[in-house]
Amino acid sequence: MPRYLTMIRIDENNAPEGGPSPELQERMGALLEEITRAGVMLDTAGLRPTAEGTRVTWDKGELSTTDGPFTETKEVIGGYSICQAKNMAEAVEWTKRFLKTHEDYWTITAEVREIEG
């Protein structure tokens, strides 16, 4: 069965202060439990802020590192999931349900891509 990586993109500068509300966490937890029981979810997690991250770049034979925050980037990966679904349509449907757990004031984008191999 194909596996899909869903990357949740957020704008750290416009994310709600204090993070997800308790109500959002409850709705999200219920959906993640449903996805797991359905045998679809393989792994998921939120990511720490970019201020705590480091980028490692290979450019023309040279390695360099840049510590966060990455202020030149408007959107960053704030979380991810790896699921197995019968096709892209099913993976996108689960992703839509995940995004709908958020309140209207959130602006997030999810990118769903099939994992090769």
Side-chain angles (χ1 to χ4, degrees):
M1 185 173 287
R3 295 175 298 147
Y4 297 89
L5 170 67
T6 300
M7 295 169 281
I8 304 298
R9 297 182 181 276
I10 63 169
D11 179 349
E12 286 186 318
N13 297 321
N14 292 317
E17 197 169 307
S21 67
E23 294 81 13
L24 170 56
Q25 291 180 32
E26 186 174 321
R27 288 190 302 273
M28 195 181 306
L31 179 61
L32 293 178
E33 186 175 317
E34 180 184 347
I35 296 172
T36 301
R37 276 194 320 250
V40 173
M41 182 63 69
L42 300 176
D43 189 29
T44 187
L47 300 178
R48 303 288 302 162
T50 61
E52 300 174 25
T54 300
R55 284 186 177 160
V56 181
T57 302
W58 176 256
D59 183 23
K60 299 178 180 121
E62 297 289 329
L63 277 174
S64 64
T65 60
T66 306
D67 291 334
F70 310 119
T71 55
E72 73 281 2
T73 304
K74 182 172 174 31
E75 292 182 335
V76 299
I77 304 296
Y80 74 93
S81 69
I82 298 175
C83 65
Q84 57 185 7
K86 60 186 172 194
N87 52 38
M88 176 64 86
E90 182 183 14
V92 169
E93 188 57 35
W94 282 111
T95 300
K96 287 178 179 177
R97 289 188 59 192
F98 174 78
L99 294 181
K100 287 179 180 177
T101 64
H102 292 72
E103 292 91 355
D104 291 345
Y105 54 81
W106 280 85
T107 300
I108 54 176
T109 302
E111 180 178 335
V112 182
R113 296 177 60 184
E114 186 173 349
I115 298 172
E116 190 170 39

